[in-house]
């Protein structure tokens, strides 16, 4: 269109009273609480009313929990949000009501709808809330092939509403909780059941609903994870620490920090940073004066704290060789894949073929590779394949590693073929 034509077109639009089309997308409406912000339930009397209301409600129950990660020790819940047809939305304070087992029993037979269920289930379990059936909207989004599966993105893309942002990482142990935070928390369960229904329909159309049901059942049936062995090894920057004596310093400082954090009920990172622990380990300071010169142990730290950390360093320095930690954790499974080519070229060839096959199948099914089959399961199968790599034998190995029936049905054929790959 020439400039003259554009001018004529604009003149015609003005003359007819029409407006030129706006190239910008229409704004997404901001979600509002349907019944306003519910009051916080923080007494036994108020909790009894909530229990009765939710027991009398119908249909699935939307459930969410807020923690104070980065502020408090551990992963306990500081607010629990629920919504159910016939009961509306509630906000429950687990500090005022630390035992929610009666509420858990009241909705025990219902399907619980959570977003990223594995993040919230541990803290819910600690206060007596354990589902028998669940629907995970984040996992459903992954299986359905959504590129962005955060709650806000899912609600906007699937339901056409924008959730308020900005309060996900606040200190939920704050009391009283500010009204904007409560509003944010209430909105997290406002449309969760609506999202569940839409995703169920999408999964049905894609032929993946049974896959999702198997995944949800596995999450609901999973026992609490065992305590992590040697958690100090997960200190950020640990890869810099090579010598066993230095590892002992990390272990002693990590343990001392954890004890202080637990006693004060604060996040360990607020007591002493991981970077400071690693600096002390690399430097092996002989006294608190030398320790004070290291990053993370600066002028703001008092003499008593410095002496406490130096005592941990001194304990590590005094350990006999026999009590020093071993480099690296004992392997429970195959070695790192980068070492396979030297250790077992045939296994490396099998793994390369298996990874390529899984990648191609995942793309074809429009879901993430790790949801099709976990990388760890693929590695274990390729490192120690069955003596006779038949389809039945491979399926049995996959099942033994926790793969669900739908996953076995999809990947057993391609993995069986990959196990027959020749290293050349």
């Amino acid at each position: 269109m020439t400039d003259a034509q554009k001018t004529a077109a604009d003149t015609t639009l003005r003359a007819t009273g029409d407006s030129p089309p706006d190239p910008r997308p229409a704004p997404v409406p901001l979600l509002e609480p349907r019944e306003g912000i519910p009051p916080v339930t923080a007494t036994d009397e108020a909790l009894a009313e909530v229990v009765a209301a939710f027991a009398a409600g119908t249909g699935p129950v939307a459930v969410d929990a807020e923690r104070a990660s980065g502020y408090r020790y551990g992963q306990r819940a500081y607010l629990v949000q629920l919504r159910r047809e016939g009961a509306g939305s509630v906000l429950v304070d687990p500090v005022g009501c630390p035992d929610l087992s009666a509420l858990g029993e009241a909705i025990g037979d219902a399907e619980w709808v959570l977003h990223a269920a594995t993040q919230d289930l541990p803290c819910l379990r600690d206060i007596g809330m354990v589902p028998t059936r669940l629907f995970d909207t984040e996992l459903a989004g992954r299986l359905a092939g959504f590129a962005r599966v955060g709650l806000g993105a899912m609600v906007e893309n699937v339901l056409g509403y924008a959730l308020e942002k900005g309060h996900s990482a606040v200190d939920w142990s704050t009391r009283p909780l500010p009204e904007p935070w409560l509003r944010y928390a209430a909105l997290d369960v406002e449309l969760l059941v609506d999202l569940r229904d839409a995703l169920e329909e999408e999964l049905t159309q894609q032929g993946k609903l049974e896959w999702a049901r198997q995944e949800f059942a596995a999450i609901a049936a999973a026992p609490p994870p065992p305590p992590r062995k040697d958690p100090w090894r997960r200190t950020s920057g640990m890869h810099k620490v090579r010598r066993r004596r230095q590892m002992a310093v990390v272990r002693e400082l990590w343990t001392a920090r954890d004890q202080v954090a637990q006693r004060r009920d604060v996040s360990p990172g607020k007591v002493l940073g991981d970077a400071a622990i690693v600096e002390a380990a690399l430097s092996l300071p002989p006294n608190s004066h030398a320790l004070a010169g290291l990053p993370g142990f600066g002028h703001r730290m008092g003499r008593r704290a410095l002496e406490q950390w130096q005592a941990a360093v001194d304990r590590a320095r005094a350990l006999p060789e026999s009590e020093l930690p071993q480099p690296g954790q004992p392997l429970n499974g195959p070695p790192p894949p980068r070492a396979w080519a030297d250790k077992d070229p045939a296994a490396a060839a099998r793994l390369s073929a298996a990874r390529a096959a899984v990648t191609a199948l995942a793309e074809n099914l429009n879901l993430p590779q790790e949801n099709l089959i976990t990388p760890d399961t693929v590695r274990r199968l390729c490192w120690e394949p069955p003596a006779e790599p038949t389809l039945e034998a491979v399926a049995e190995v996959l099942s033994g590693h926790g793969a669900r029936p739908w996953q076995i049905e999809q990947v057993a054929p391609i993995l069986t073929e990959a196990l027959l790959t020749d290293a050349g």
Side-chain angles (χ1 to χ4, degrees):
M1 182 181 289
T2 65
D3 289 343
Q5 289 172 320
K6 288 180 183 178
T7 302
D10 290 344
T11 303
T12 302
L13 284 168
R14 285 194 295 271
T16 58
D18 293 332
S19 300
D22 190 340
R24 296 171 299 179
V28 179
L30 193 65
L31 184 62
E32 298 286 345
R34 279 172 270 192
E35 298 103 16
I37 304 173
V40 178
T41 300
T43 66
D44 291 342
E45 294 77 15
L47 179 61
E49 294 180 8
V50 168
V51 169
F54 272 76
T58 58
V61 183
V63 183
D64 190 26
E66 305 294 348
R67 298 175 299 280
S69 303
Y71 297 93
R72 296 289 183 172
Y73 185 85
Q75 294 295 314
R76 68 169 292 184
Y78 282 94
L79 189 69
V80 176
Q81 309 100 281
L82 304 97
R83 182 177 180 84
R84 190 180 196 186
E85 186 69 30
S89 296
V90 298
L91 304 175
V92 182
D93 179 5
V95 177
C97 303
D99 182 5
L100 298 186
S101 55
L103 180 56
E105 291 170 6
I107 58 174
D109 293 335
E111 179 188 77
W112 296 22
V113 184
L114 303 101
H115 192 82
T118 54
Q119 294 183 21
D120 288 340
L121 288 179
C123 70
L124 291 171
R125 184 183 290 112
D126 290 343
I127 53 180
M129 297 186 66
V130 182
T132 56
R133 294 187 297 131
L134 62 85
F135 190 107
D136 186 333
T137 50
E138 185 204 44
L139 182 50
R142 291 180 183 277
L143 294 176
F146 283 86
R148 298 167 60 218
V149 293
L151 181 58
M154 294 289 288
V155 168
E156 183 169 335
N157 292 339
V158 177
L159 301 177
Y161 284 95
L163 289 178
E164 290 188 5
K165 302 175 182 178
H167 301 304
S168 59
V170 299
D171 181 3
W172 288 96
S173 68
T174 302
R175 293 298 182 272
L177 285 164
E179 185 173 307
W181 299 11
L182 297 175
R183 176 188 178 85
Y184 166 90
L187 290 174
D188 271 357
V189 292
E190 185 79 14
L191 292 181
L192 209 50
V193 172
D194 301 71
L195 180 60
R196 172 237 179 272
D197 293 343
L199 288 172
E200 182 177 69
E201 182 176 341
E202 179 65 29
L203 290 168
T204 300
Q205 291 176 357
Q206 295 188 24
K208 298 176 180 177
L209 182 59
E210 177 56 28
W211 302 2
R213 285 174 173 162
Q214 291 180 25
E215 293 297 311
F216 302 156
I219 294 173
R228 181 174 280 123
K229 181 176 172 56
D230 292 345
W232 58 270
R233 291 185 185 271
R234 295 176 64 85
T235 301
S236 180
M238 190 70 192
H239 62 281
K240 302 176 186 176
V241 182
R242 304 289 186 182
R243 291 157 47 195
R244 293 174 65 200
R245 184 73 59 186
Q246 295 172 333
M247 292 179 186
V249 173
V250 174
R251 181 175 64 184
E252 291 294 333
L253 281 171
W254 189 98
T255 302
R257 178 185 71 173
D258 194 66
Q259 292 169 347
V260 172
Q262 188 169 9
R263 186 175 69 249
R264 295 182 187 170
D265 189 19
V266 296
S267 169
K270 290 189 173 296
V271 175
L272 186 67
D274 280 10
I277 290 178
V278 170
E279 285 289 342
L282 296 176
S283 300
L284 290 171
N287 51 55
S288 57
H289 179 73
L291 181 67
L294 298 178
F297 299 92
H299 62 279
R300 293 184 179 181
M301 187 170 289
R303 180 176 60 84
R304 183 182 233 173
L306 280 171
E307 291 175 350
Q308 172 183 250
W309 305 130
Q310 183 61 42
V313 174
D314 292 342
R315 287 194 296 272
R317 291 168 62 96
L319 285 174
E321 288 285 329
S322 60
E323 295 182 22
L324 295 178
Q326 294 298 322
Q329 295 173 286
L331 280 174
N332 177 23
R338 62 179 178 273
W340 286 28
D342 293 330
K343 291 178 178 291
D344 190 338
R350 291 192 295 266
L351 181 62
S352 178
R355 283 175 163 173
V358 168
T359 297
L361 181 57
E363 290 178 356
N364 186 51
L365 294 173
N366 191 30
L367 50 76
Q369 296 178 41
E370 63 271 18
N371 291 113
L372 176 58
I373 190 72
T374 66
D376 181 66
T377 297
V378 175
R379 286 194 296 268
R380 289 174 184 270
L381 173 68
C382 292
W383 185 253
E384 293 185 359
E388 293 291 333
T390 63
L391 184 63
E392 293 74 16
V394 169
E396 185 176 351
V397 172
L398 294 174
S399 179
H401 289 312
R404 264 69 73 190
W406 77 269
Q407 295 175 312
I408 296 172
E409 181 182 0
Q410 293 295 323
V411 304
I414 63 172
L415 293 179
T416 301
E417 185 176 345
L419 292 182
L420 300 175
T421 300
D422 188 351

